[in-house]
Amino acid sequence: MTPTVSPQQLVAAAQSARKQAHAPYSNYFVGAAVLTVDGEIIPGCNVENASYGGTICAERVALTAAIAQGKRDFSAIAVVTVDGGSPCGFCRQVMIELGAEMDVYISDEAGNFRSTTVRALLPDAFGG
């Protein structure tokens, strides 16, 4: 991870992003923050839709926002939920495609987090 950004700072950015979530159906608010290798933090939050397939998770919002800004190299991602829920399978696949070597910090709303890696979350992943 970039030495100028601590895991706690990345988790704090995800906590802040969580406040922007649009979750009227599940009431499960999620924030994420992806750290680029050059030290930039890009936030994301979940955005639900009445057509559930139109819902996008916070992790994918952060990563796709980063891609849209021309970022391609990521060192870490933090995900914050009320209870420290782990990324879904869809998000794990996107993370393996865009940043297989990323560290992952999974946190509850109080900031208690655990560290893992994308590869640990999705062992034996398939690729293109």
Side-chain angles (χ1 to χ4, degrees):
M1 188 159 138
T2 303
T4 58
V5 177
S6 71
Q8 292 83 3
Q9 289 171 304
L10 196 59
V11 167
Q15 285 172 315
S16 181
R18 183 173 175 260
K19 295 174 185 170
Q20 303 306 316
H22 176 74
Y25 306 104
S26 71
N27 289 312
Y28 195 74
F29 299 87
V30 183
V34 64
L35 179 62
T36 66
V37 294
D38 60 359
E40 187 173 347
I41 296 173
I42 300 170
C45 62
N46 60 320
V47 180
E48 292 181 352
N49 190 283
S51 170
Y52 293 147
T55 294
I56 185 167
C57 300
E59 301 92 322
R60 288 182 283 136
V61 169
L63 286 163
T64 56
I67 293 291
Q69 293 175 35
K71 305 299 181 179
R72 296 291 187 269
D73 299 310
F74 310 109
S75 59
I77 189 167
V79 182
V80 176
T81 66
V82 67
D83 56 359
S86 188
C88 73
F90 196 163
C91 287
R92 292 175 191 212
Q93 180 61 38
V94 171
M95 290 190 299
I96 206 89
E97 293 256 340
L98 298 178
E101 303 307 317
M102 284 191 296
D103 291 319
V104 181
Y105 306 107
I106 301 170
S107 179
D108 65 16
E109 66 184 351
N112 302 305
F113 70 92
R114 64 184 173 97
S115 300
T116 187
T117 65
V118 171
R119 290 199 187 277
L121 286 174
L122 191 61
D124 300 323
F126 64 93

